[in-house]
Amino acid sequence: MMYQVLDKDTIEMGIIPYLPKNDRGPASRAATVEIVNCILYKLKTGMQWHLLPVDSLFTGRALHFKTVFGHYRKWCKKGAWKDCWVKLLSRHRSKIDLSSGDFDGSHTTAIRGGRRSGLPGKKEEK
């Protein structure tokens, strides 16, 4: 059984066009759709890379988790995930309801001072 985070068409149409192609070296043994699905599964579940159920995430011969991480890191360094995210947000801007967005600044330091929280062990920002 293969786990699906997004369907194949969504990955092919919405994510893969923003991922850079291999400049050199051999082509991957697995389809890019399955590699992206594996990365999305890891990001969605929050599990550690070495715990990925790669045998269940690939239809053919499974890639090693280090190979999947290598693709993820390569695409991160090239800014592909950010580019994809920005393009998807701009394409679907009319469907986003920002009136219910919640932002939490409880872990943000107050650079120019601010009230002391009164909690023991907390330092004031100078």
Side-chain angles (χ1 to χ4, degrees):
M1 175 178 110
M2 182 177 165
Y3 296 112
Q4 285 289 125
V5 177
L6 291 176
D7 62 286
K8 183 179 177 180
D9 293 335
T10 303
I11 293 173
E12 284 180 342
M13 304 290 281
I15 297 175
I16 291 181
Y18 303 107
L19 299 178
K21 308 291 183 241
N22 284 344
D23 295 340
R24 50 186 202 169
S28 179
R29 293 186 321 239
T32 307
V33 172
E34 292 185 350
I35 297 170
V36 170
N37 183 56
C38 190
I39 291 169
L40 293 176
Y41 182 84
K42 187 271 184 234
L43 295 175
K44 182 179 179 183
T45 61
M47 67 175 37
Q48 297 173 349
W49 285 101
H50 74 279
L51 296 176
L52 272 174
V54 288
D55 293 331
S56 301
L57 292 168
F58 291 98
T59 55
R61 186 172 171 202
L63 294 181
H64 194 271
F65 76 89
K66 288 181 182 181
T67 306
V68 177
F69 175 74
H71 285 284
Y72 173 72
R73 183 169 178 178
K74 172 181 64 176
W75 293 331
C76 283
K77 283 184 175 182
K78 293 186 177 187
W81 292 113
K82 182 180 178 182
D83 186 39
C84 177
W85 180 246
V86 169
K87 300 287 188 196
L88 286 172
L89 285 177
S90 63
R91 186 183 320 152
H92 300 289
R93 180 179 306 187
S94 64
K95 299 175 186 174
I96 300 173
D97 179 17
L98 293 178
S99 66
S100 64
D102 296 320
F103 296 98
D104 181 12
S106 63
H107 299 287
T108 306
T109 58
I111 301 298
R112 300 186 193 277
R115 248 180 354 110
R116 183 173 173 88
S117 65
L119 297 174
K122 294 279 188 177
K123 295 181 180 179
E124 286 187 43
E125 185 69 31
K126 303 248 188 236

